[in-house]
Amino acid sequence: MPNALTLDVRQPGSSTAVLDVQGDITADSEKPLMEAYAEAGSAKAIVLNFSGLEYMNSGGIGLLVTLLVRANRAKQKLLAFGLTEHYRQIFELTRIDEAIEIFGSEDEALQAASK
Amino acid sequence: MTTQEPTNAENWAKPVDSLHIAHDLPDHAINLNVEGKRVASMTSGFGKMWQKTYRVRLDGARVAPQQVVKVWKEHFPEFWQKGQHFFGPMASISPGDVALINVKTGGVKLSTGILVLYADDVSFSFMTPEGHMFTGMITFSARELEDGVTQAEIVALVRAQDPIYELGMMTMGSGAEDRQWLHVLRSLAAHFGVEGKPTLEKICVDRKRQWKRFGNVRRSAAIRTVFYSVTRPLRRKEKTRASA
């Protein structure tokens, strides 16, 4: 059974929002992902925390591309951390890592977000 | 970064630096623009980004989504329009497969290909090489609707890779692509004894063109294919002269 996606939105700084991913990202995850993005508001940088990601299929990759387009349109930076080695490779294969900067830890991601 | 392996790792293609077709091809296949090429970045296209969703309900066919996708993978090229060729592995479609495509789109012959990025029992997805008409991803899937009917679906999240393709898409290319996928869904439905009435929903995800990607045109598979076709008689002449 798929684990429905939930996202908690944190704002560790005035211009940065962290979206804590928990569960699966599939094509059916559009609503929670876009609602969390909307909750992040006008933050200059959106940091995706994938530590709680349990499963993602190609539909999930498509959703991340759509999220990236929205962030680019709003002139927001999109960063990520907490990816497993496998999903890091998927980001490299699809070359999404050229548009979403990936970091090993939250501290590194937040530091880059503040630049 | 963590090292925990996900439950669906076998459904994804393994990382590759460049593409390679590992199966035999028929003699008449034109193999250009795939071997040694990189996968096109999902975000590096030039044109407007579109999400096109093609759907067909398989009313009356008592068939599970898994069975639809199994048949779709095994008979994928047979559902294509006449004159459009998909040269994939003989058995089925599996993650990491690289297939050759020879098509005629908008009056232009094109030799290109795809990488099978992902495949499970209810879906499979393709990515394109640099130089292809579009960057992005196309996903083929089936699901059971609330009324119990199985629906087959194609979702293309794409943007034209360079300005020439964008122009082509604005004129004839987009319509040709729509006809192709609607035909595939009708053929798939017919395989299950259903007279399918496929639908198309188009959403413009990004209206902005990425002018910084103008230079993608130098990798255009269309230009390379046209050049290959135009110079073929010369190459034949050379070959004949050399063997004489």
Side-chain angles (χ1 to χ4, degrees):
Chain A
M1 279 292 286
N3 297 309
L5 176 69
T6 58
L7 293 114
D8 289 326
V9 181
R10 294 182 281 128
Q11 304 228 318
S14 57
S15 61
T16 304
V18 178
L19 274 55
D20 295 317
V21 171
Q22 186 65 53
D24 301 347
I25 304 185
T26 67
D28 295 329
S29 312
E30 182 170 6
K31 195 166 179 270
L33 187 63
M34 294 310 164
E35 280 177 357
Y37 173 68
E39 198 182 326
S42 56
K44 284 183 182 160
I46 310 283
V47 181
L48 296 165
N49 171 12
F50 285 110
S51 305
L53 173 67
E54 292 176 26
Y55 169 97
M56 181 162 58
N57 62 13
S58 56
I61 289 286
L63 265 189
L64 293 181
V65 172
T66 307
L67 180 69
L68 180 64
V69 167
R70 290 193 185 188
N72 282 345
R73 234 169 15 202
K75 299 195 179 343
Q76 293 168 311
K77 257 202 271 190
L78 205 55
L79 308 93
F81 72 94
L83 281 164
T84 62
E85 178 61 26
H86 170 73
Y87 285 122
R88 203 169 173 136
Q89 286 178 356
I90 298 302
F91 273 46
E92 284 168 19
L93 178 63
T94 55
R95 297 175 64 184
I96 287 180
D97 65 329
E98 293 173 12
I100 303 177
E101 255 189 295
I102 299 170
F103 296 90
S105 69
E106 179 166 350
D107 284 348
E108 287 170 23
L110 290 178
Q111 209 172 354
S114 64
K115 280 180 189 166
Chain B
M1 181 177 66
T2 58
T3 54
Q4 186 193 350
E5 192 73 359
T7 52
N8 66 340
E10 76 283 355
N11 298 127
W12 289 94
K14 299 277 178 283
V16 286
D17 292 329
S18 59
L19 300 178
H20 168 64
I21 296 175
H23 54 276
D24 292 335
L25 294 168
D27 289 342
H28 63 274
I30 303 174
N31 186 5
L32 292 173
N33 309 308
V34 180
E35 283 295 329
K37 295 281 177 192
R38 294 177 76 196
V39 167
S41 161
M42 300 220 9
T43 56
S44 69
F46 169 83
K48 293 179 179 180
M49 180 177 265
W50 293 93
Q51 181 170 301
K52 294 184 183 185
T53 307
Y54 311 82
R55 297 187 179 100
V56 69
R57 287 170 57 94
L58 302 177
D59 286 293
R62 305 186 78 173
V63 58
Q66 288 83 352
Q67 198 184 340
V68 172
V69 170
K70 184 173 183 291
V71 166
W72 210 346
K73 285 179 186 169
E74 289 172 355
H75 299 273
F76 191 75
E78 298 164 32
F79 299 134
W80 280 39
Q81 286 175 298
K82 203 176 167 197
Q84 314 284 58
H85 302 288
F86 179 92
F87 301 110
M90 290 302 284
S92 186
I93 283 171
S94 306
D97 285 346
V98 179
L100 181 69
I101 294 174
N102 285 179
V103 292
K104 208 170 179 185
T105 180
V108 178
K109 264 189 181 176
L110 187 66
S111 171
T112 178
I114 56 93
L115 166 74
V116 182
L117 172 70
Y118 181 90
D120 62 23
D121 58 353
V122 289
S123 71
F124 54 101
S125 300
F126 296 163
M127 281 188 74
T128 58
E130 289 180 338
H132 191 87
M133 292 94 83
F134 54 79
T135 63
M137 187 171 64
I138 184 156
T139 299
F140 307 83
S141 65
R143 66 168 71 200
E144 189 179 322
L145 300 174
E146 281 178 8
D147 60 6
V149 172
T150 295
Q151 176 178 270
E153 187 175 275
I154 302 171
V155 179
L157 181 63
V158 293
R159 67 195 324 159
Q161 195 148 172
D162 67 41
I164 295 175
Y165 286 135
E166 177 72 344
L167 195 62
M169 285 291 177
M170 286 164 62
T171 51
M172 289 178 287
S174 182
E177 191 198 10
D178 294 344
R179 280 192 296 280
Q180 160 71 2
W181 296 129
L182 293 170
H183 175 89
V184 164
L185 288 181
R186 264 192 297 272
S187 305
L188 180 68
H191 182 93
F192 293 102
V194 176
E195 194 183 332
K197 295 183 179 65
T199 59
L200 164 60
E201 181 190 2
K202 279 167 84 166
I203 298 169
C204 189
V205 178
D206 189 6
R207 295 195 168 278
K208 279 180 76 175
R209 295 193 173 93
Q210 303 199 111
W211 287 96
K212 63 182 176 186
R213 306 293 184 185
F214 191 93
N216 287 353
V217 72
R218 70 186 186 277
R219 300 194 192 97
S220 170
I223 292 174
R224 283 170 56 92
T225 311
V226 167
F227 185 76
Y228 173 87
S229 302
V230 167
T231 57
R232 186 146 65 172
L234 289 173
R235 283 197 308 278
R236 273 195 193 142
K237 222 174 184 177
E238 280 294 314
K239 210 172 167 185
T240 313
R241 197 181 297 161
S243 61

